[in-house]
Amino acid sequence: MPNIKPVSDLRNYTEVLHDVEAGSPVFLTKNGRGRYAIVDMQDYEKTQAALRLLGELARGRHSGETEGWLTPEDIRAHFEARANEE
């Protein structure tokens, strides 16, 4: 169940922060509407990593669509060439 509190509860912020755990953010409302979310740092870092991954996937797809896709043979040859360099 989501942990929802009014932003006025931040007057006693230690109690609000006590409720924040990994996988269990605290959502703060202002004038009855959702306004802020307090998340555990681990959850924040996971979200940022997921966004970076999605960005890289989007760039890769765009590159494939504009510059053409590589065949499995092209990829195999690339990695074999790199293995021979070492």
Side-chain angles (χ1 to χ4, degrees):
M1 184 161 165
N3 194 348
I4 302 171
K5 297 180 182 260
V7 75
S8 61
D9 279 8
L10 283 178
R11 289 183 192 116
N12 187 4
Y13 65 89
T14 55
E15 187 175 315
V16 173
L17 294 179
H18 178 70
D19 292 340
V20 177
E21 297 176 358
S24 179
V26 172
F27 299 101
L28 300 174
T29 62
K30 187 172 181 181
N31 297 325
R33 296 183 167 218
R35 182 72 176 158
Y36 306 102
I38 302 174
V39 296
D40 180 80
M41 193 58 137
Q42 184 179 11
D43 288 342
Y44 175 79
E45 289 172 353
K46 283 182 185 178
T47 301
Q48 292 301 307
L51 290 172
R52 283 191 302 273
L53 176 60
L54 289 172
E56 290 296 322
L57 290 172
R59 275 196 289 276
R61 182 179 183 139
H62 181 269
S63 172
E65 290 170 349
T66 58
E67 298 175 26
W69 299 98
L70 297 176
T71 65
E73 292 78 21
D74 293 336
I75 296 169
R76 190 173 299 112
H78 170 78
F79 284 110
E80 286 174 354
R82 286 191 70 185
N84 291 335
E85 289 176 2
E86 296 174 357

